[in-house]
Amino acid sequence: MLCYQCEQTTPGGGCSDIGVCGKEPDVADLQDLLIDAAQRLARSLSTVPAEQRPQGASAQLENALFTTVTNVNFDAESIEALIVAVDTMTDPANPEASGASREERLTNAYKVGISARRARQGENVTGLQDLLLFGLKGMAAYAHHARRLGRTDPVVDAFMIEALAKLAEGLSDPDALIALNLKCGEVTVAVLALLDGANTGSYGHPVPTAVRMGHVPGKAILVSGHDLKDLKALLEQTEGTGINIYTHGEMLPAHGYPELNKYPHLAGHYGGAWMRQRREFENFPGPILMTTNCIQRPAPTYEDRIYTCGLVAFPFVKHVEGSDFSALLEAAKATPGFTDETNAGDHLVGFGHNAVLSVADTIIDAVKSGALKKFVLIGGCDGVKFDRSYYTDLATSLPQDWAILTLGCGKFRVIGHDYGNIGGLPRLLDMGQCNDAFSAVKVAMALADAFECSINDLPLHLVLSWYEQKAICILLALLHLGVKNIRIGPSLPAFITPSVLQVLVDTFNVMPIDTVENDLKAMQAA
């Protein structure tokens, strides 16, 4: 195996023995083969008019891409089943194009992996191809959520096929690859808007809502990941049962949606970001549901209480098919639940674009009066590296007349501190999940219109953390919008070679984070 798609890959350019995420070599290689199968399917689809393509083809491509996002699927058997499904759609007469046995598949996987591609075409071309591929993986994750809520976009489907087909053909021209990456950013904006419409159309626009960061006595089920549809189904199925539902990780913003918050047994939020789950899940006195990405290898202390659904899979973990969560209800009744009550303080969620823009006049007046000097967006994907304390230290060091915007699980690096208020508004505005990145884009564009300037002329600094592929497609979206001076960390992607990085620096002034002191000085001078 060789895998370098996440921020915490083994130093030196990639994980080669076992993934830092816990991914076994066979799983990593089969995921490479699944991507190759998806590319071949896309290439075959690209020669067929859209109206003649098989029904479900775009959903199949999304599933293949999303399955390979970091911390989604660790189960070799389910990945092999997806490979067969993709091969069958590509050529029903040859459903085993990727190999009939696991040994054959693993042999074929090596031929399409990173090492083989680097040997054929060099690091720069491979890196640009993988920048596009990882952006497509992130896009597929967002499109998957929207599709589950009945929202699709033919432009998004068409681009995914186009881009994967180009990769299947071995596109190697650097300029063409850079252009396709920026187009990926353009389509990502459309995907984010699509998902925003799907979520708000289904659950209402988020409103500022105080969330208990703790628990109450009673039976309990914990929900982690990102998928709001799964949470809604679980809330419906547990209504009136006496079982309380708690969110974990990126599910925290769910409390801001009126159609989810209306359930009184959505009792609070438990724990922090995804990488703390092994410690936090051990002490949760009930079953745990993992939706979408973010699962880690379960510890023995709770492996009999954790369930997966959708595309998430782990070899020995119970999997829920569809949205029938009756097994979790029975497990909750058989486990002790909480016997005490805790509250580490309330956290305000719900500052999506609708809520923020409803008070745009107040924000604009605060800027014009000098009460509000700057905005700093501190968000993205969290991880375990010690140097991620940078984001906490930066947030607590910012001047009192600077507002802080946050989204994604990177929020857990900055919440839990009293930042006070500016002009009657909280200094810290939690804009939601990484899935809600469209809110930040829409607010920035609206403020730029109000001040009659470009986004780059706003008193706004973007300081982003990244961990996996959804962050990559959001970065590409920002680059497509022409946003410059983005700080990113805690380290730069291993697949971005020095020459490719120089292009990003020269064109967009993308920069790695420095020390808090140096970055704060640079922001104050800008």
Side-chain angles (χ1 to χ4, degrees), residues 151-176:
R151 300 290 184 98
T152 59
D153 184 339
V155 173
V156 174
D157 293 346
F159 174 74
M160 197 167 293
I161 291 170
E162 173 196 357
L164 286 171
K166 292 289 187 184
L167 291 174
E169 293 163 5
L171 179 65
S172 60
D173 178 71
D175 290 338

Side-chain angles (χ1 to χ4, degrees), residues 36-317:
D36 181 68
Q39 290 176 359
R40 286 186 282 106
L41 172 58
R43 189 174 186 179
S44 70
L45 294 172
S46 68
T47 65
V48 179
E51 64 274 9
Q52 296 178 21
R53 291 169 183 165
Q55 186 174 10
S58 291
Q60 189 74 272
L61 291 175
E62 284 172 9
N63 289 347
L65 289 165
F66 193 7
T67 292
T68 67
V69 166
T70 303
N71 290 357
V72 174
N73 192 318
F74 295 78
D75 181 57
E77 289 186 8
S78 65
I79 296 169
E80 285 185 290
L82 273 170
I83 291 171
V84 172
V86 174
D87 282 346
T88 301
M89 184 168 282
T90 304
D91 183 2
N94 186 21
E96 295 180 340
S98 298
S101 67
R102 181 170 298 182
E103 290 73 18
E104 289 176 325
R105 291 186 181 117
L106 292 174
T107 298
N108 291 331
Y110 179 77
K111 299 174 185 177
V112 298
I114 296 168
S115 297
R117 290 190 293 117
R118 277 179 166 178
R120 288 195 303 268
Q121 57 199 14
E123 291 187 349
N124 287 333
V125 168
T126 303
L128 281 171
Q129 290 174 343
D130 286 339
L131 177 61
L132 174 61
L133 174 61
F134 300 156
L136 289 170
K137 289 184 179 189
M139 181 191 299
Y142 296 132
H144 173 86
H145 287 294
R147 190 179 296 273
R148 290 204 70 206
L149 295 175
R151 300 290 184 98
T152 59
D153 184 339
V155 173
V156 174
D157 293 346
F159 174 74
M160 197 167 293
I161 291 170
E162 173 196 357
L164 286 171
K166 292 289 187 184
L167 291 174
E169 293 163 5
L171 179 65
S172 60
D173 178 71
D175 290 338
L177 283 166
I178 290 171
L180 205 53
N181 270 289
L182 290 177
K183 187 174 180 181
C184 183
E186 177 184 3
V187 179
T188 293
V189 175
V191 171
L192 292 171
L194 184 73
L195 179 55
D196 177 76
N199 283 337
T200 57
S202 299
Y203 312 117
H205 282 283
V207 296
T209 303
V211 182
R212 171 194 287 266
M213 305 298 281
H215 58 261
V216 296
K219 302 290 186 179
I221 297 174
L222 186 64
V223 186
S224 192
H226 303 75
D227 201 293
L228 301 181
K229 185 173 183 178
D230 290 327
L231 175 60
K232 180 68 157 59
L234 186 60
L235 287 167
E236 291 173 343
Q237 292 171 38
T238 51
E239 189 172 19
T241 64
I243 300 171
N244 290 319
I245 305 300
Y246 294 88
T247 55
H248 176 269
E250 283 266 59
M251 280 294 192
L252 171 58
H255 292 263
Y257 287 94
E259 288 301 306
L260 299 175
N261 193 49
K262 71 180 183 181
Y263 292 92
H265 64 298
L266 182 60
H269 185 81
Y270 175 90
W274 65 271
M275 69 285 178
R276 299 187 178 97
Q277 66 188 254
R278 284 174 63 87
R279 181 176 69 251
E280 293 171 347
F281 289 2
E282 181 178 76
N283 297 316
F284 187 80
I288 301 146
L289 177 66
M290 294 301 302
T291 72
T292 68
N293 52 313
C294 292
I295 192 171
Q296 292 181 300
R297 176 181 289 276
T301 49
Y302 65 84
E303 63 183 25
D304 61 333
R305 291 186 287 111
I306 190 168
Y307 296 75
T308 58
C309 64
L311 296 175
V312 188
F314 216 98
F316 52 80
V317 171

Side-chain angles (χ1 to χ4, degrees), residues 302-520:
Y302 65 84
E303 63 183 25
D304 61 333
R305 291 186 287 111
I306 190 168
Y307 296 75
T308 58
C309 64
L311 296 175
V312 188
F314 216 98
F316 52 80
V317 171
K318 296 180 285 290
H319 189 78
V320 175
E321 296 295 342
S323 298
D324 179 4
F325 297 120
S326 54
L328 278 91
L329 272 67
E330 294 306 311
K333 293 173 184 176
T335 44
F338 289 109
T339 58
D340 62 341
E341 180 173 344
T342 66
N343 190 352
D346 291 342
H347 172 66
L348 274 178
V349 299
F351 290 98
H353 59 84
N354 193 64
V356 174
L357 294 180
S358 70
V359 292
D361 289 344
T362 301
I363 294 172
I364 292 167
D365 289 343
V367 173
K368 289 181 176 179
S369 71
L372 173 54
K373 292 289 194 308
K374 291 194 177 186
F375 303 89
V376 182
L377 173 61
I378 305 176
C381 304
D382 203 4
V384 300
K385 283 187 177 178
F386 176 77
D387 47 6
R388 286 178 182 265
S389 62
Y390 163 94
Y391 298 94
T392 307
D393 297 338
L394 177 64
T396 55
S397 300
L398 293 175
Q400 292 297 306
D401 51 6
W402 292 21
I404 305 168
L405 311 176
T406 190
L407 54 77
C409 62
K411 70 166 59 67
F412 290 102
R413 293 288 172 178
V414 302
I415 68 175
H417 178 83
D418 184 5
Y419 294 96
N421 299 280
I422 299 178
L425 295 172
R427 273 188 70 216
L428 177 68
L429 301 178
D430 186 341
M431 305 190 80
Q433 297 181 338
C434 64
N435 292 17
D436 300 313
F438 182 70
S439 277
V441 170
K442 192 163 185 177
V443 167
M445 294 175 72
L447 290 176
D449 287 342
F451 288 109
E452 299 182 344
C453 66
S454 72
I455 290 179
N456 292 317
D457 293 324
L458 287 172
L460 170 66
H461 296 283
L462 302 180
V463 187
L464 307 179
S465 58
W466 79 284
Y467 177 76
E468 41 88 330
Q469 297 77 66
K470 288 187 285 183
I472 296 299
C473 77
I474 290 173
L475 175 63
L476 293 176
L478 294 172
L479 298 183
H480 156 72
L481 293 170
V483 178
K484 297 184 178 182
N485 308 317
I486 301 170
R487 289 178 170 82
I488 187 168
S491 57
L492 295 177
F495 52 86
I496 298 293
T497 63
S499 60
V500 174
L501 175 61
Q502 195 59 50
V503 172
L504 297 179
V505 171
D506 292 344
T507 309
F508 301 102
N509 199 31
V510 172
M511 64 190 89
I513 59 172
D514 196 348
T515 65
V516 169
E517 181 182 12
N518 288 343
D519 283 345
L520 190 52

